[in-house]
Amino acid sequence: MALKNIIVGVADLKLSNDPTSLIVTYSLGSCLGITAYDPVARVGGMLHAMLPESRDEKQSKNFNPFKYIDSGVPQLFKEAYKLGAQKSRMRVTVSGGAQILDDAGYFNIGKRNIAALRKIFWKNGVMIDSEHVEGSVARTVRLKIDTGEVTVTIGRNQEIVL
């Protein structure tokens, strides 16, 4: 069966309940790729978020909730629920949060993204099932809707299953 790629761009969110779908995001650096998958409903989604907090941006007329961890993560779950997913069955993975182009660690965007995500999950009783975070490598993440398998390609050729 040929899989249909659904590409998640930067500051983007995609979901599917089509078993022939493969949701993919490329080149995660300090951004986070967050997947949520319900194996019973066979519903999955992926968020590619850039920054930890939206703060005053929510008032902007061009506000994009998927750009931020604090506004994008709730949307990921809400959209999954609309397709039949249930929080108690969701399997969650996280990738990214690397320190790229910030050798001195001045901005620490990757670490701040991870901290913001853990805070939101802790407040909402969500556990991370598997993760591949931090370091200094770019990652590509794929979620197969038929099985829920999440793979992370590190650099150009190392692939792991989360």
Side-chain angles (χ1 to χ4, degrees):
M1 163 178 70
L3 296 178
K4 293 182 264 181
N5 283 352
I6 299 174
I7 308 299
V8 181
V10 176
D12 193 10
L13 171 73
K14 294 286 186 339
L15 289 100
S16 180
N17 58 359
D18 177 352
T20 65
S21 294
L22 177 69
I23 301 178
V24 182
T25 195
Y26 298 99
S27 299
L28 286 170
S30 60
C31 296
L32 291 183
I34 303 148
T35 68
Y37 181 78
D38 180 331
V40 175
R42 293 179 112 182
V43 169
M46 185 183 300
L47 171 68
H48 184 142
M50 296 173 62
L51 298 168
E53 297 174 341
S54 52
R55 294 190 185 153
D56 299 329
E57 293 295 316
K58 290 180 182 178
Q59 307 310 319
S60 167
K61 71 177 186 177
N62 296 322
F63 176 66
N64 175 357
F66 311 135
K67 184 176 180 180
Y68 306 95
I69 302 294
D70 69 347
S71 54
V73 169
Q75 285 302 119
L76 170 61
F77 280 79
K78 286 176 187 173
E79 294 301 316
Y81 300 154
K82 288 179 186 176
L83 293 176
Q86 292 182 15
K87 180 180 172 183
S88 62
R89 301 187 306 229
M90 298 285 264
R91 182 178 183 273
V92 177
T93 71
V94 182
S95 302
Q99 185 169 307
I100 304 230
L101 303 176
D102 184 22
D103 293 335
Y106 182 74
F107 296 107
N108 285 321
I109 294 171
K111 287 184 181 191
R112 289 175 37 219
N113 283 341
I114 294 165
L117 180 69
R118 291 190 197 290
K119 180 179 176 182
I120 289 169
F121 281 169
W122 182 79
K123 282 184 175 180
N124 291 284
V126 174
M127 299 299 292
I128 297 171
D129 291 279
S130 190
E131 64 182 36
H132 194 277
V133 296
E134 296 187 352
S136 59
V137 294
R139 297 167 174 95
T140 294
V141 181
R142 293 174 177 84
L143 168 62
K144 291 182 182 176
I145 297 302
D146 64 339
T147 64
E149 179 182 82
V150 177
T151 58
V152 179
T153 305
I154 305 152
R156 294 181 186 255
N157 57 10
Q158 182 187 2
E159 186 172 277
I160 62 168
V161 177
L162 292 185

